[in-house]
Amino acid sequence: MPIFFDESKKTFNLFSKDMQYTMYVDQNERLCHAYWGKKIRALDIDHIANFYKMAYGSNLSLELLPQEYPAYGGTDFRSPAYQVQFEDGSTVSDLKYAGYKIYDGKPKLDGLPATYVEDEDEAQTIEIYLHDGIGGLGVTLTYTVFEKFQAIARSVRFKNESSKQIKILRASSANVDFEDDDFVMIQLSGAWARERNIVKRHLVSGIQSIESRRGASSHQQNPFIALARPNTDEWEGEVYGFSLVYSGNFLAQVEVGQYESARASIGINPFDFSWLLEPSETFQTPEAVITYSYEGFNGMSQTYHKLYGTRLARGKYRDAERPVLVNNWEATYFNFNEEKLLTIAKEAKTLGIELFVLDDGWFGRRDADNSSLGDWFVDKRKLPEGLDGLAKKINEIGMKFGLWIEPEMVSPDSDLYRAHPEWCIHVNGRERNLSRNQLVLDFSRQDVCDYMIKTISELLRSANVSYVKWDMNRNMTEIGSDALPPERQRETAHRYILGLYRVMDVVTSSFPNVLFESCAGGGGRFDPGMLYYMPQTWTSDDTDAIERLKIQYGTSYVYPQVMMGSHVSDVPNHQVGRVTSVEIRSHVAMSANMGFELDLTKISEDEKVKVKSYISEYKKMRKLIQFGNFYRLLSPFDGNEAAWMIIDEKKDEFLLYHFKILGMPNAKNKRLRLKGISTDKNYKLEGTDEIYGGDELTFEGITIPYRHGDFQSALMHFISI
Ligand code: DGJ
C-alpha cells in the first residue's frame, strides 16, 4: 500500500516507486512537513520532530517549522500558501488538523484538467482535512501517489463552513517547506518565438519567482520550476519538480527565509485574483504535479514524460501515431485560393505527407489579421465550394483535411463584435487595448462559451475535418467582465480558464476522432492544462532549425516529444533569416511530430527527393520517435552542439541525433558516449554493416564524423541484433 497512517505518531507516509513523502501532526495539531526524497527503510519521525521542537521554544518561531500548508497571520513571516478574508475584514487564519481519508484511485477535479488513472490499483489518494475553527474555513489537501511514477498529484479544496462570506485571496496548489536552501532553481523562460529556454540560478535569501499575469500560462514563463542540488546533471543528483496543470495566470515561487530554509509553492497567481465563497460553497485549486528524481534531470523528465504522455493526455490520439502534415501558413499566409491550396496538397501527397492543414484566412473577409475573428463562416471568394468542397478535394487526393480556428478571439471588425460588443474581456469606460488587432472573448461568461461550443461544433460538422489547430494569439488586458458583480471582478481571469476548459471538453469529446493541436502564437500556452484536452501543441512560431534546438531541448524538460509539433519550413527562415540545409531542418522536425510549413511546389527537385526520403524514414521510425524515451545528451545552451537520443522501452532500438551549430576550423571527429541503452546488447547501425556493443557505445562512445560547415546534423538508427 503506498499510503500509511501511523496513529500513534500521527504520521502520514506516502510512497511511490522509490520515493517517500512524510508529514506529521505536531503537538499543536499543525500538519508539518517532515521529509520528501528517496525511500527510507524506517524513518523515525521523532528524529525529525525533535529537531523542530525548538520552533515552539521561543515566542516567534514558526518560521523554523516546515509546514504543509502554511497560513498567514501567525509567527511565520514567510509567504503563506493561502490567505482568506473573512466578513469582518480580517485576513488572519490558522489551520488545525481535523482528520483524513485514504482511498484507492484518484478523484477527478471538477471542471479542471488533471492526471488520471485507468485502474484504481494505479494510485492511492489521501485527503487531509484542516480547519480554521474561528473563521469556519475548511481546507482539504489532496495527494495522489502513483504506483509507477516518482510523482505526487496535489490539489487543495476550500470550503466555507461558516454562515458568512469568505473571500479567498491566495490559494497555492502545493507548498513544500525544505529544511535547507542549497538548491539551484530551474525555470523555462523566454518570449514569443523564443520559448522555454532553460534558466538556472542558485537560491538566495528572499523570494525568487516566475509568474504569468497575461491570462495565459505564457511564452515568457512555463508553469514549472525545479529545485536541484548543486552539481546535479542529466544523470545524477536530486531534483524536485513542480508543474502546474493550468493554462492561466500562475505563480511559482521559492522563498528562502532567515533560517536558510526554502519554501516552494506553485498555484494560481494571487496577483489580481480573489474568489468569493458563499456559505457551504467550495473552491477547487488546479492540480500541481510534483516529482522527485535522484537520477538528475533525465530522471525528472522521464517521470513527467511518461505521466503526462499516458495519464494526462487523453483520447484516441494519446497512443496513436500522429500524421505527417503540411500547413499552408508560412507558404501563403492570408494570400491563397482553392487552386493554390490544392497544388500544395498534391505536391505534399507525392512526397508522402498525410494531412493538409488550412491555416488562418479562410473565413469572414480575412485578408489580413485585422478582421473577421468570430465570424466562423467560409470566405467564398477564396473557397467557392466551401470548406466541405475543399475537404472533399483534399480527401480525393488521398490526404486528410485539417482546419485552423481561433475561437477565443474577436476582431472589432466582425459581425460578432458588432452584435455583441459586451462579449469581450473589458472594463466599462476604459480603452479596449488591441493586440494583433483583436480582443479576447469573455469566456468567463456562460452565454459566450455556449455560443462558441455551438458555432465550433457546427463548423466541424460542416466538412470532413480530421484535425484542428486551436490557436490563441493575444494576452488579456483590461481584465474584467460585464457578467460579474464588482466583488467578483477579480475572478474573471480564472473563470475565463474554467470556461475555456468547459468549451474544450465539450468540443473535443463531441469529436473524438479529430486530432486537436493547441497553439497560442506558437508556444504561449504549452502547458499540462491544454495537453489534457489536446494531446499536442504547436511548440513555437519560430520554425528555424537552430532556434528549435534550444526550444525543443528546453521543452523536453517536462513534455515528451509526442506533444510537440515541429515543422520543416522555408529558407531563408521567416523568423530569423537563417539559411540551413533541408537535412538539418528535417532532422530537427524528425525529433517530434514532423510537419511541413512551406510552399512545397517551390522547392528544388533535389530537395524534393530528400524530403520524400526523410518522410519515408520518419514513417518507418515514427512509433519510436513519437513514443520512445527521450534522452538529452548535449545541451545547445552549453555550447556549439546538441545531441539527443530516442530509445524504445525494451532498448531494442534507438535513434541518435547530433547537431553541430557553427563550423569550426581545425576540428576533429566527435566522440559521443551514449546513455540509456542496454550494455548487454549489440546494436547494428542501420544502412551500414557496423555493429557496436551497447557497453562500447555507453563507455567508449561512438564517432560522429567531422562534417564541414555550419548547421550540420546526423541521425543514426540502431537496432539490436
Ligand atoms: C499563430 C500561429 O502560431 C501560427 O502558426 C499561425 O497559425 C498564425 N497564428 C495564424 O494567424
Side-chain angles (χ1 to χ4, degrees):
M1 291 280 280
I3 301 180
F4 298 96
F5 179 59
D6 178 345
E7 188 75 56
S8 64
K9 298 203 168 172
K10 284 202 174 165
T11 302
F12 298 98
N13 270 309
L14 283 55
F15 297 103
S16 79
K17 231 180 145 190
D18 197 15
M19 179 183 92
Q20 175 169 350
Y21 190 100
T22 304
M23 301 167 263
Y24 66 101
V25 180
D26 79 357
Q27 69 272 29
N28 291 314
E29 296 299 303
R30 280 211 167 79
L31 185 64
C32 301
H33 179 73
Y35 174 76
W36 181 22
K38 206 167 183 322
K39 228 180 228 177
I40 291 175
R41 258 183 298 119
L43 181 67
D44 188 335
I45 200 67
D46 289 340
H47 296 162
I48 295 174
N50 287 339
F51 177 78
Y52 292 119
K53 281 224 170 98
M54 60 194 284
Y56 294 109
S58 65
N59 287 333
L60 289 173
S61 47
L62 269 190
E63 279 185 52
L64 281 161
L65 189 71
Q67 297 147 68
E68 266 313 293
Y69 205 62
Y72 167 72
T75 60
D76 188 340
F77 295 94
R78 294 171 293 174
S79 295
Y82 77 98
Q83 192 184 14
V84 295
Q85 184 168 32
F86 298 105
E87 235 178 46
D88 64 1
S90 69
T91 52
V92 172
S93 62
D94 194 12
L95 294 175
K96 295 292 169 76
Y97 172 72
Y100 75 97
K101 184 166 95 183
I102 296 174
Y103 49 90
D104 288 342
K106 181 173 192 296
K108 283 193 168 163
L109 293 194
D110 206 17
L112 284 164
T115 53
Y116 60 88
V117 291
E118 289 194 331
D119 192 318
E120 296 224 316
D121 293 346
E122 290 177 16
Q124 215 173 47
T125 298
I126 179 165
E127 293 183 5
I128 303 180
Y129 309 117
L130 307 175
H131 194 246
D132 178 273
I134 295 174
L137 174 70
V139 173
T140 303
L141 308 184
T142 304
Y143 302 74
T144 298
V145 279
F146 300 88
E147 192 92 44
K148 286 201 194 134
F149 305 110
Q150 304 256 112
I152 305 178
R154 291 180 58 173
S155 69
V156 180
R157 196 167 60 248
F158 290 80
K159 182 162 190 200
N160 183 351
E161 291 166 355
S162 77
S163 54
K164 298 175 180 163
Q165 289 184 332
I166 296 178
K167 196 178 242 186
I168 299 171
L169 304 177
R170 183 184 186 106
S172 305
S173 297
N175 179 93
V176 179
D177 278 1
F178 293 94
E179 197 277 316
D180 72 306
D181 64 350
D182 193 16
F183 290 105
V184 172
M185 174 171 154
I186 294 97
Q187 62 197 59
L188 302 176
S189 305
W192 171 77
R194 274 190 278 118
E195 299 92 340
R196 290 173 300 287
N197 279 225
I198 295 169
V199 178
K200 299 184 182 185
R201 50 175 150 165
H202 199 284
L203 294 183
V204 294
S205 176
I207 291 177
Q208 31 262 287
S209 67
I210 54 157
E211 65 179 331
S212 169
R213 301 176 179 185
R214 296 168 182 269
S217 51
S218 87
H219 297 89
Q220 289 73 12
Q221 307 290 353
N222 200 253
F224 158 81
I225 54 170
L227 292 179
R229 292 294 179 189
N231 302 323
T232 294
D233 62 17
E234 279 294 320
W235 319 110
E236 280 172 10
E238 287 187 299
V239 191
Y240 297 87
F242 296 78
S243 164
L244 191 67
V245 187
Y246 189 58
S247 312
N249 293 339
F250 75 93
L251 172 69
Q253 84 172 30
V254 185
E255 179 167 4
V256 175
Q258 61 175 330
Y259 298 113
E260 289 98 28
S261 57
R263 168 169 289 174
S265 67
I266 194 163
I268 291 179
N269 197 341
F271 178 83
D272 202 31
F273 164 82
S274 67
W275 195 276
L276 197 62
L277 282 183
E278 297 292 345
S280 78
E281 275 184 359
T282 57
F283 177 80
Q284 172 66 56
T285 72
E287 176 167 293
V289 176
I290 61 172
T291 58
Y292 169 71
S293 161
Y294 52 84
E295 290 169 322
F297 297 111
N298 176 274
M300 173 189 75
S301 300
Q302 296 305 331
T303 300
Y304 279 124
H305 288 190
K306 288 226 172 67
L307 181 60
Y308 285 172
T310 62
R311 292 296 180 267
L312 175 75
R314 298 174 305 160
K316 168 177 162 179
Y317 276 96
R318 183 189 74 181
D319 306 321
E321 291 181 30
R322 315 285 164 85
V324 179
L325 65 81
V326 60
N327 176 304
N328 74 307
W329 179 241
E330 288 194 15
T332 65
Y333 295 103
F334 296 102
N335 185 16
F336 59 82
N337 56 27
E338 190 187 83
E339 192 192 336
K340 177 72 200 164
L341 300 178
L342 290 173
T343 339
I344 296 177
K346 279 179 196 146
E347 191 61 61
K349 172 68 186 169
T350 63
L351 298 175
I353 296 173
E354 300 154 313
L355 166 70
F356 177 87
V357 180
L358 173 57
D359 210 280
D360 195 355
W362 58 265
F363 53 94
R365 292 184 78 79
R366 192 154 161 97
D367 295 328
D369 63 14
N370 56 7
S371 87
S372 304
L373 291 169
D375 296 344
W376 297 109
F377 47 84
V378 74
D379 182 351
K380 293 247 171 152
R381 295 170 309 158
K382 293 180 185 173
L383 304 175
E385 292 176 44
L387 279 182
D388 187 39
L390 176 66
K392 280 190 179 128
K393 287 178 191 164
I394 298 282
N395 291 161
E396 276 158 21
I397 291 171
M399 298 176 86
K400 292 193 163 163
F401 176 69
L403 189 65
W404 176 99
I405 49 175
E406 193 177 0
E408 298 158 69
M409 297 290 148
V410 65
S411 308
D413 180 8
S414 67
D415 293 347
L416 183 65
Y417 188 72
R418 281 182 281 274
H420 288 290
E422 76 288 5
W423 271 15
C424 68
I425 295 276
H426 70 283
V427 173
N428 279 323
R430 294 201 175 267
E431 187 181 352
R432 300 176 182 196
N433 265 299
L434 297 180
S435 174
R436 209 192 188 213
N437 300 305
Q438 64 201 52
L439 293 162
V440 182
L441 277 176
D442 184 357
F443 269 38
S444 77
R445 295 174 64 130
Q446 193 173 338
D447 51 356
V448 175
C449 291
D450 289 343
Y451 173 85
M452 243 342 126
I453 288 171
K454 188 166 169 285
T455 306
I456 299 306
S457 303
E458 280 169 9
L459 178 67
L460 298 186
R461 265 183 221 112
S462 73
N464 187 17
V465 177
S466 304
Y467 160 103
V468 167
K469 178 176 172 188
W470 182 296
D471 205 350
M472 191 285 282
N473 279 300
R474 67 157 287 180
N475 289 148
M476 290 181 199
T477 55
E478 297 86 35
I479 299 179
S481 172
D482 258 9
L484 292 171
E487 66 278 15
R488 290 193 182 273
Q489 284 299 314
R490 286 160 75 111
E491 298 177 11
T492 308
H494 181 55
R495 283 186 183 273
Y496 176 98
I497 297 295
L498 295 179
L500 170 65
Y501 288 155
R502 181 168 76 86
V503 174
M504 291 195 296
D505 202 36
V506 175
V507 173
T508 55
S509 45
S510 307
F511 296 92
N513 292 321
V514 172
L515 169 61
F516 285 85
E517 175 161 342
S518 80
C519 170
R525 241 177 8 193
F526 201 128
D527 61 63
M530 295 304 290
L531 289 161
Y532 176 76
Y533 301 98
M534 305 187 176
Q536 60 188 59
T537 301
W538 177 225
T539 314
S540 175
D541 269 354
D542 195 334
T543 56
D544 172 63
I546 302 308
E547 288 295 304
R548 277 295 185 117
L549 293 177
K550 283 188 176 166
I551 295 169
Q552 291 179 200
Y553 188 98
T555 305
S556 80
Y557 257 44
V558 184
Y559 309 98
Q561 66 277 15
V562 72
M563 290 180 161
M564 302 182 211
S566 189
H567 298 176
V568 174
S569 63
D570 204 3
V571 285
N573 173 267
H574 293 195
Q575 291 78 41
V576 296
R578 187 175 284 130
V579 176
T580 54
S581 67
V582 72
E583 181 179 49
I584 192 166
R585 279 178 280 151
S586 300
H587 286 163
V588 172
M590 289 168 83
S591 305
N593 293 327
M594 188 186 207
F596 289 79
E597 190 156 337
L598 73 171
D599 188 343
L600 291 165
T601 62
K602 292 195 178 139
I603 63 174
S604 69
E605 287 310 311
D606 177 45
E607 280 181 330
K608 280 183 194 165
V609 172
K610 287 185 179 157
V611 162
K612 194 170 181 170
S613 100
Y614 289 129
I615 293 172
S616 138
E617 257 184 78
Y618 180 78
K619 286 185 187 163
K620 279 188 222 137
M621 308 182 301
R622 168 161 47 191
K623 192 157 177 234
L624 171 63
I625 292 175
Q626 296 181 348
F627 297 100
N629 297 326
F630 192 86
Y631 279 63
R632 295 172 296 265
L633 290 184
L634 293 174
S635 169
F637 295 98
D638 292 342
N640 194 30
E641 291 166 287
W644 47 68
M645 296 169 68
I646 302 179
I647 308 170
D648 88 317
E649 195 63 41
K650 291 189 180 146
K651 301 175 192 269
D652 280 340
E653 197 184 353
F654 66 92
L655 295 161
L656 170 63
Y657 299 74
H658 179 263
F659 305 93
K660 186 186 76 177
I661 300 170
L662 291 180
M664 215 178 91
N666 195 15
K668 59 175 187 175
N669 289 340
K670 172 85 191 170
R671 199 83 186 139
L672 197 56
R673 282 192 280 172
L674 309 193
K675 291 281 184 182
I677 54 175
S678 167
T679 49
D680 297 331
K681 290 182 177 164
N682 292 327
Y683 296 95
K684 180 171 173 293
L685 174 58
E686 287 296 281
T688 73
D689 295 328
E690 289 170 35
I691 292 172
Y692 297 86
D695 49 353
E696 179 191 351
L697 293 169
T698 304
F699 303 116
E700 223 295 293
I702 185 165
T703 301
I704 310 283
Y706 169 78
R707 275 156 303 147
H708 200 63
D710 296 340
F711 317 133
Q712 299 290 330
S713 63
L715 169 52
M716 302 158 118
H717 185 192
F718 295 81
I719 298 183
S720 78
I721 48 164

